[in-house]
Structure formats: structure tokens, C-alpha cells
Amino acid sequence: MAPTQAKHSSQDLLQAQVDLWHHALGFVKSMALKCAMEMQIPNTIQHHGGAMTPSELATAIGLHQSKLPRLRRLMRVLTVSGIFVVHESASADKEAVYGLTPTTCLLVSDEVKSNLFPILSLMLDSTVITPFFGMKSWFHDEDSTSLFKKIHGLTFWEMADQDETYNQLINNAMVSDSNFLMDIILRECSDVFTGISSLVDVAGGLGGAARAIANAFPQIKCTVLDLPHVVADAPTDDHVPFIAGDMFEYIPPANALFLKWIFHDWGDEDCVKILKKCKEAIPSRDAGGKVIIVDMVVGSGPNDIVTRETQVFFDLFIMYLEGIEREEFEWKKIFMEAGFSEYKIISVLGVRSVIELYP
């Protein structure tokens, strides 16, 4: 058999090497972003008028000037990958000037409704990253323990229950995602909420999504259902009441149910159980009953490489806690098994979609 080198041109081989290196070094982008977030670089640049030289940035974040060349190397990675931008310099020494991009603006704490800093902090936390180093042995392990539990000895949710700091990290992440996404959902998918008189946000956490819906549609009576320990920490709200309960046992009746980023935490069997409880809680389709799901439909949405890669990356990522992102045929299977008759996918949320599900 001819050696590999004899089958391909030198340029093909060199490009293949670049592809492999680029793939293997992908973690460098994540760690560079994590470092920049922890050093508060986006906020620092924002608070200094949106443009800073390396020297100014180093001084502002408290770095010794000996670290300046290394800071430039960090920022070069982050500018090449589109996190920051380099502006033309008007100074004689032509020192670079770093500025924010639309991407970085989502990490600036001043922009509360669109600030994704908390959820990125959770995704890049060491407790989440570390389990992936044990993926190979986990695949060979016949035990059904999650990747997270195999490494940490606790499930993701058990750790949150036992560690208040970690629980707060998770809560902040979910709130930031709701604040960001709900504003877009209510702008792009307002028709979904037309004609609804009552709505239960199932497993709605601290009620951010329900409050956003209630504010946008005052005629809808919104309620939040979640576990007792979650409801105990929920803010008092006269307009959005909270009900302590388990969605696997009972869901309060309403015209419509709202489930944002819930199903990807559960396997098919549990999803069918949840959906059957949903079906019991809503009226017929003729009477306006429906379930509104916000989740990922792998393969739906913009047909570009970044979106497609992000969907399958996130599917593998959420495997660490035994979660799953589904393609349309997988969604259809659990919908039909739960006794629903029809659904509609609205793909206007980037990597995620809104699904209207009818009994």
C-alpha cells in the first residue's frame, strides 16, 4: 500500500496539518475568553470610552508592565477570533487600540438585559470543563453515571443543592439567558402569545421569563411552577405568583404552558412524562390550548457553519449532565408518544427555536 504522502499533494497534506492543529488548539480560544472575562477586560475597555491601548489596558487591570507583551499576545488571539477589534492608532508609535465588537458588548455588565457574562462564566467554569478530560473512560464505563458525577462524585444539581455559591452561579446564568432571550422572543415571536389568557411557566426558576411575558402582555395571567427550594428563593411579585410543585407530578391548568430550555435536561422517557402532564393541564386546541417550547432543534435555524457547529458542540457539551439536544425527528417522536397531534417550529432564535405544540 502506498504511503499517505504519496497519495496527496504537499499542499493537501499541509492543509490537513493546519486543520488538525486548528481543531486541537480550539480550547485556546475558550481559555483566552475566560481569562479576558476574569480580568474584566470588556468592562474596562467599555468604561474607558470603548478604546484602549495595550499599555492603558495593562495599567487599568493592574498588570505589571513586564506582562505587557503577554497581554498583547492574549489580545491578538481575541481580536483574530472576533471578540475584540483593533482600531487604527493616531499616535506616533502606532500602538494598537483595542475596541469592543457587538460580541463583546454582550459581556459588558452595563447592558443588563443583554449581558451574557453569567452564563458564559458557568459554561467556562472548571467544574464543567474538567469532566471532559475523563470522556474516554466514561464511554467505556458500563455505569450510567453522568460524566459530571463520574468526576465530581455528585450530579450537577446535587452540587448546586450543597454549594450555595455554585447554586448562585447557576441561577445567575439562567437569569442572564432569560433576560437576553425573552426580549428577542417577545419581539420576534409575539404572535405565539396572541389569544392566550393564562400561562404557566413550567420550571420557570425565579420568574424572569414569566415577568417578561406578563409585562409585554398584561392580559395574560402568568404563574411560575418550580420546586419548593427554588420557589423559596423567588422574589415576591404580586403580578406573577409562584407555585411550589414537581412538573412530573402535577402542572396547574392554564390556557398555555411555557417551557424554556427544560427538555434538553431530560431523556426521552422523562420528556414524554412531562409532556403528558402538560397535555392534562391545557384545554383542547379548539379552546386555545398549546405548549410553547423554547429549545434547540438541531439542524434548524440559519444554515451557516457557525450555527451548525454550535448546535452539535452544545449537544456534546450538555452530555456532561446527561442532557441532549434533539433533531426534529427526535422531537416529533416524543411529541407523538405523549399524545400531541401537531407542532410548528419557528426558527428565529439563532441556535434555538420556538416550538408551538398542540393537543
Side-chain angles (χ1 to χ4, degrees):
M1 182 178 293
T4 300
Q5 287 83 348
K7 295 180 180 179
H8 303 281
S9 71
S10 296
Q11 291 307 309
D12 287 342
L13 292 170
L14 289 169
Q15 185 57 52
Q17 180 199 43
V18 170
D19 290 343
L20 288 172
W21 281 27
H22 188 265
H23 196 87
L25 292 170
F27 76 97
V28 174
K29 289 203 300 184
S30 300
M31 293 303 100
L33 176 59
K34 178 179 172 68
C35 181
M37 290 170 59
E38 290 174 345
M39 291 197 293
Q40 294 291 316
I41 290 177
N43 277 336
T44 303
I45 294 176
Q46 170 76 2
H47 293 157
H48 284 75
M52 296 184 77
T53 66
S55 299
E56 291 169 338
L57 181 58
T59 300
I61 62 177
L63 296 186
H64 190 275
Q65 287 300 306
S66 65
K67 296 289 187 180
L68 186 55
R70 293 167 185 172
L71 177 63
R72 288 193 180 103
R73 291 162 70 179
L74 173 70
M75 295 301 290
R76 181 166 59 186
V77 168
L78 293 166
T79 54
V80 166
S81 56
I83 302 298
F84 297 98
V85 66
V86 177
H87 298 302
E88 290 275 338
S89 174
S91 63
D93 59 7
K94 298 296 183 184
E95 190 175 22
V97 178
Y98 303 125
L100 303 180
T101 64
T103 301
T104 332
C105 288
L106 294 180
L107 301 175
V108 176
S109 60
D110 289 348
E111 303 293 334
V112 176
K113 287 197 78 173
S114 58
N115 182 10
L116 296 183
F117 191 102
I119 194 165
L120 266 291
S121 296
L122 176 62
M123 292 170 72
L124 294 171
D125 190 76
S126 60
T127 59
V128 172
I129 294 170
T130 303
F132 288 94
F133 290 100
M135 192 184 294
K136 181 256 183 183
S137 62
W138 177 77
F139 266 109
H140 286 280
D141 194 340
E142 293 183 6
D143 192 359
S144 60
T145 299
S146 70
L147 187 55
F148 189 95
K149 186 174 182 178
K150 181 176 175 62
I151 299 300
H152 296 299
L154 298 169
T155 68
F156 181 79
W157 306 113
E158 287 169 344
M159 183 175 287
D161 191 45
Q162 295 182 24
D163 185 333
E164 180 53 36
T165 301
Y166 197 63
N167 185 52
Q168 194 60 50
L169 178 69
I170 296 169
N171 285 340
N172 290 343
M174 296 304 101
V175 168
S176 77
D177 183 66
S178 282
N179 286 342
F180 172 76
L181 201 62
M182 287 308 301
D183 188 53
I184 297 173
I185 290 172
L186 294 171
R187 191 186 323 143
E188 300 294 332
C189 307
S190 59
D191 289 351
V192 170
F193 301 95
T194 301
I196 295 174
S197 58
S198 61
L199 178 145
V200 173
D201 185 359
V202 180
L206 302 181
R211 276 190 293 276
I213 295 169
N215 288 336
F217 301 94
Q219 74 277 12
I220 301 178
K221 180 185 176 183
C222 293
T223 306
V224 177
L225 171 74
D226 215 313
L227 295 170
H229 75 273
V230 177
V231 171
D233 293 334
T236 302
D237 194 319
D238 294 335
H239 301 291
V240 179
F242 288 76
I243 296 175
D246 185 340
M247 63 185 174
F248 286 98
E249 301 296 331
Y250 172 74
I251 295 175
N255 198 224
L257 305 178
F258 185 77
L259 295 97
K260 174 185 162 293
W261 234 14
I262 302 300
F263 289 105
H264 74 168
D265 288 336
W266 302 96
D268 288 1
E269 185 177 336
D270 284 327
C271 285
V272 171
K273 289 178 183 177
I274 296 167
L275 284 168
K276 285 183 176 179
K277 292 299 177 184
C278 289
K279 192 167 184 290
E280 292 173 4
I282 58 175
S284 67
R285 182 174 183 179
D286 291 341
K290 67 178 174 180
V291 179
I292 303 166
I293 298 169
V294 178
D295 227 310
M296 196 176 290
V297 180
V298 177
S300 294
N303 190 25
D304 61 83
I305 188 64
V306 173
T307 299
R308 292 289 176 260
E309 283 191 348
T310 301
Q311 287 179 332
V312 297
F313 287 169
F314 199 90
D315 177 45
L316 193 63
F317 169 77
I318 202 172
M319 191 173 69
Y320 79 94
L321 50 72
E322 291 295 82
I324 180 174
E325 303 297 349
R326 295 173 170 87
E327 296 182 56
E328 182 176 351
F329 79 91
E330 294 170 302
W331 279 111
K332 183 177 180 179
K333 178 176 178 290
I334 62 174
F335 292 160
M336 297 304 111
E337 284 186 19
F340 286 83
S341 61
E342 192 177 346
Y343 65 91
K344 179 171 69 173
I345 297 173
I346 307 168
S347 300
V348 293
L349 301 179
V351 295
R352 286 178 283 187
S353 298
V354 172
I355 307 173
E356 289 186 277
L357 181 60
Y358 306 101

